[in-house]
Amino acid sequence: MAAFDVALEALPVGILPLVATDLDVSVSHAGLFVTGYAVTVAVVSVPLTHVTRRVPRRRLPGVLLGVLVVARGGTARRAVRGRE
């Protein structure tokens, strides 16, 4: 699982030129998106660990997966509505 996570987080770096082209910005500006994500993860990870320390470890992945599914569904719905 950890290897998948590391690969997933490194993926945007490899496609920065494509992202920059799609957004019509320079590669360095597209790189700021990756930097912003990394800073967010670094700042939020410790407080989030502190907040979830009392949640049973067996339940936490299921709850987080549910949140991810709902968020992705909302994003997909919004993207489809934007095309209409």
Side-chain angles (χ1 to χ4, degrees):
M1 179 91 164
F4 175 74
D5 188 45
V6 169
L8 189 62
E9 288 190 14
L11 178 67
V13 174
I15 61 171
L16 277 180
L18 297 172
V19 171
T21 301
D22 280 353
L23 297 176
D24 196 28
V25 297
S26 67
V27 175
S28 61
H29 278 99
L32 288 175
F33 292 123
V34 178
T35 302
Y37 172 75
V39 168
T40 301
V41 169
V43 168
V44 172
S45 61
V46 173
L48 187 60
T49 302
H50 181 71
V51 168
T52 60
R53 73 180 186 268
R54 296 196 181 181
V55 177
R57 295 297 173 224
R58 286 197 166 297
R59 184 178 297 166
L60 187 60
V63 170
L64 292 177
L65 183 60
V67 170
L68 177 66
V69 167
V70 169
R72 293 287 172 119
T75 301
R77 211 172 311 130
R78 184 168 280 188
V80 169
R81 285 183 187 165
R83 292 184 190 164
E84 295 174 353

